[in-house]
Amino acid sequence: MFDRNFESFNVGDTYISSSRTIRPEDIDIFAEWSGDHYPLHTDETYAKSTRYGERILHGLGTLSISFGLIPLKAPEVIALYGLDHVRFLRPVTIGMAIHVRLVCTNLRHHEQGGIVQVHMTTEDHDGNPLMSAVITMLMRRQS
């Protein structure tokens, strides 16, 4: 979605990403580089004893992978301007295919470009919401 200049956006524009299947390595790699080794994510024996019954992806891992499914193109994207109202709605488990749905909700001019605000929902293959957030991007305007 963030592969064009500010003037190309309209409120209501919708984008659905390709899907990505969560692998055990995704959890392990996120735990390693984030330092978050909470046993619900990293210890299979412990995770089996919880209400989830299996390891789940870290919430911030879900956010990171979700953001990676969104097309970003330079030089149109100037910066991630903000991330608000992040909610982790359901667990993301190994083997789950997830995709992202973005809906443009607000546009406004900014002295350095244009602000594009979108509501992001990470969904499973049936369209059930797993995570939601509001992303605000500073985008390049036409010259």
Side-chain angles (χ1 to χ4, degrees), residues 66-100:
S66 296
F67 207 85
L69 292 172
I70 301 169
L72 305 171
K73 184 179 176 190
E76 283 74 19
V77 173
I78 297 171
L80 170 62
Y81 200 71
L83 188 60
D84 299 291
H85 308 289
V86 178
R87 298 292 181 266
F88 304 107
L89 306 170
R90 289 188 175 95
V92 175
T93 57
I94 295 168
M96 184 179 282
I98 65 171
H99 64 269
V100 173

Side-chain angles (χ1 to χ4, degrees), residues 82-86 105 117-120 132-136:
L83 188 60
D84 299 291
H85 308 289
V86 178
T105 58
Q117 192 170 67
V118 300
H119 184 265
M120 173 177 72
S132 67
V134 174
I135 299 173
T136 306

